[in-house]
Amino acid sequence: TPTSTPSNNSDTKWITEKDLVDFYTLDCTDPSSKAKGSISDPKKSYVACDTNGTAKYILGPVDVPGADLSTASAGLVYNNAGQSTGEWGVDIQFGAAGTKAFASASKRLYDLKATDTTRNRFAVVLDGNVITAPSMNSEITDGKAQITGSFTAKSAKALANQLSFGSLP
C-alpha cells in the first residue's frame, strides 16, 4: 500500500516497494514480460512495458477509463492558421464524464511539465501494455485532444483504432 496518502493520481506516493521491485526487475525486451490482459486494479499504481519493449513505466491509477472515450480518429494536423502541417495525428474526444476527468488530469499533468517532464505524460494502456504515452502540452478542458508525433497515416489509424479499447492512467 502507499506509504502515505497520495494527493492525486500522479503523486509518487502511490509507488509501493512492490512497484519498485517490479519496475527494476521487469525486462521489457523479454516477450514473456508482455502483459496479457487488463490492469488488475484501476485504483492502484501499475508497472507496464510499452508494446515495443523499449520503455517501461510506473503508472498511477487510471484517470479516465476507456469507456469514457467517445471517438478516436486519425487525420492530418492543422496549425493555428488552419493550414495542414503535412503531419498525421490522432484526434480523441471524450464523453461528459471523460471530459471532466481528462480536464482534471490534463491540468495536473501540464502543471508538472515545468518541474518533472517524466511525470507530465499520460499513458494509454491496452491489454496491460502502454500503447502510447504522450506528454501534456496544454490543459484540455473541452474533451477534445490531439496526439501528435512521428505518425504515418497507417500508424495514426492504428493508434486511433487501439484507443477505442484502452484506458488512460
Side-chain angles (χ1 to χ4, degrees):
T1 60
T3 55
S4 57
T5 304
S7 61
N8 59 56
N9 286 3
S10 297
D11 194 329
T12 57
K13 292 175 185 171
W14 281 106
I15 302 171
T16 66
E17 187 173 331
K18 181 185 180 317
D19 290 331
L20 291 173
V21 169
D22 289 348
F23 181 80
Y24 288 117
T25 59
L26 182 61
D27 178 3
C28 291
T29 63
D30 180 354
S32 67
S33 293
K34 295 278 186 184
K36 294 173 179 67
S38 61
I39 296 171
S40 60
D41 186 347
K43 296 180 182 179
K44 292 185 178 181
S45 56
Y46 181 76
V47 175
C49 295
D50 71 352
T51 55
N52 299 325
T54 57
K56 57 185 170 180
Y57 304 88
I58 298 177
L59 306 173
V62 171
D63 275 310
V64 184
D68 289 347
L69 182 66
S70 295
T71 61
S73 61
L76 289 171
V77 175
Y78 292 88
N79 64 21
N80 291 339
Q83 299 171 326
S84 172
T85 64
E87 297 176 335
W88 283 86
V90 177
D91 296 310
I92 58 178
Q93 185 168 346
F94 297 96
T99 294
K100 184 176 178 182
F102 194 75
S104 174
S106 73
K107 177 177 179 7
R108 182 180 73 242
L109 295 171
Y110 181 69
D111 289 348
L112 284 170
K113 185 175 185 171
T115 58
D116 190 345
T117 57
T118 62
R119 289 179 44 228
N120 87 316
R121 299 164 68 183
F122 70 95
V124 179
V125 177
L126 179 63
D127 295 334
N129 293 301
V130 175
I131 60 171
T132 189
S135 60
M136 190 63 65
N137 295 326
S138 65
E139 287 184 46
I140 300 169
T141 58
D142 64 358
K144 298 175 184 177
Q146 184 175 66
I147 302 170
T148 59
S150 301
F151 290 110
T152 63
K154 184 177 179 179
S155 65
K157 288 176 186 174
L159 179 59
N161 286 335
Q162 290 175 313
L163 282 168
S164 298
F165 304 102
S167 62
L168 304 159

